[in-house]
Amino acid sequence: MSATTRVGIIANPVSARDIRRIISHAAGLSLGERVNMLVRILSALAACRVDEVLLMPEMEGLRMLLERRLPAVISELDYPLPRLRWVDMTVNNNTNDSVAAAEIMREEGVSAILVLGGDGTHRAVVKGCGRVPIAGISTGTNNAFPPIREFEERLHIDFSRGDIPGFVHLYAGEEATGVGVIFHLNDDDRIASTHRGHGHCIAKGVDMIGMMKEIYGKRDGLCKGKGGSMHIADLSKGMMGANGIVGAGAPLACGAALAAKFQGKGGVAVTFCGDGAANQGTVLESLNLAAIWNLPVIFVIENNGYAESTSRDYGTAANSFADRGVGFGISGVVVDGNDFFAVYEAAGEVIRRARNGGGPALLECKTNRFFGHFEGDAQTYRPKGEVDNLRANHDCLKIFRRRVTEAGVLTDAELDAVD
């Protein structure tokens, strides 16, 4: 870089309001942690001979603490730090601040903008930066809802054009269940998915570009293009794999849970399956095994009302799949799978108990799928207008928006910035 290079830095002023931190009542990055990140970034920019850095102001004392720490940093460097200049703007502690700061920095002629924040902040900066390159440094946790929906809607279009080989089963409509459960997990916790596994992968943090390449059968896909949509796996994220065999994830999760129990580090395993798979012998045998060995495993039944084309009422005698758990001495819970907060609270309780040696649990989430069992399914088994009604009145994204805006946790504008 030349000596006259100017770079902008946007440190998200609302990172502590990231939705994952809100619903888990966890703290955001402390002021000290944010300052430490900025100090390291400024040192790196100094090494690149950046002349000036524009920073977005905020209301939490970051500027004062940063300027207090800089003399000690400067004394240890063999080269000067860039000049610091705080953007002259009014901040309101919402995502619109990031848009405004990006616009000002663009007008000031910065060569690039570094963004410290979560997914919503990065999207906000894109709106204001024009053609200025941006580099994102995540300090938050992404809300997985919109990426899952966008990913599935894109696949729906691409498959209809004949661009994707093999079968595809879409997760759109069921996002609240997968996200609500997986928010409680870390990379060391294992999940076993289903043939409808894209949402589980994304919620677990699997790279979406690698997923898309895998679905397209590309050599640089997550599984070298050999697995496709139904066999995506990423063990580095604790994703043991989607599975084309109905109900096959349950015994795999039992194995992972047994390993976690022996390791004694509080790890858990989660297996997802549909209402059709819940009738498979492998699932029932796994419930029994988990109970006998007191395994830290959670069985999540994503009850979307259909086992392929067979309705739940026609194919299952019991009123509740949760009762199956009770039959094996396992606690069973039924929740509205379209309500993220209901799923999050219920999953949090059973996962915490499993981590502490309380054994397995079964969580039935009543939800809906917006597309057919597979792409190309004519869905003649569904009543006329059913899907339109589900999208209008039972869309988990709309329910989530209504809940957080009515509670005053987030505004429509902040959610729009994510969308």
Side-chain angles (χ1 to χ4, degrees), residues 182 186-187 189-194 197-202 204-206 222 229-243 272:
I182 294 173
N186 57 52
D187 287 350
D189 297 321
R190 303 296 187 184
I191 68 169
S193 184
T194 70
H198 305 154
H200 303 147
C201 289
I202 294 171
K204 200 66 168 68
V206 176
L222 286 171
S229 170
M230 287 193 287
H231 300 94
I232 295 174
D234 186 351
L235 295 181
S236 70
K237 293 295 182 179
M239 173 58 180
M240 294 193 296
N243 207 312
F272 293 89

Side-chain angles (χ1 to χ4, degrees), residues 265-310:
K265 298 179 181 179
V268 299
V270 175
T271 178
F272 293 89
C273 71
D275 44 298
N279 291 328
Q280 288 286 97
T282 48
V283 175
L284 300 175
E285 292 169 3
S286 297
L287 284 166
N288 188 56
L289 186 66
I292 293 170
W293 288 349
N294 196 43
L295 297 177
V297 58
I298 311 301
F299 296 83
V300 179
I301 310 297
E302 295 180 308
N303 180 3
N304 62 28
Y306 292 98
E308 295 192 13
S309 59
T310 304

Side-chain angles (χ1 to χ4, degrees), residues 239-257:
M239 173 58 180
M240 294 193 296
N243 207 312
I245 301 175
V246 176
L252 296 178
C254 284

Side-chain angles (χ1 to χ4, degrees), residues 11 14 38 47 59 134 136 221 238 246 262-263 271 275 288 306 340 356 368 380:
V14 291
L38 283 174
M59 302 168 63
I134 66 171
V246 176
F262 282 145
Q263 290 170 345
T271 178
D275 44 298
N288 188 56
Y306 292 98
F340 165 79
N356 294 324
N368 310 284
T380 55

Side-chain angles (χ1 to χ4, degrees), residues 124-157:
V125 172
V126 167
K127 292 182 178 180
C129 70
R131 295 184 176 274
V132 176
I134 66 171
I137 302 174
S138 178
T139 63
T141 46
N142 297 339
N143 177 1
F145 282 90
I148 295 174
R149 181 67 57 86
E150 293 168 4
F151 191 92
E152 301 293 62
E153 298 280 4
R154 167 68 182 274
L155 287 179
H156 176 66
I157 295 171

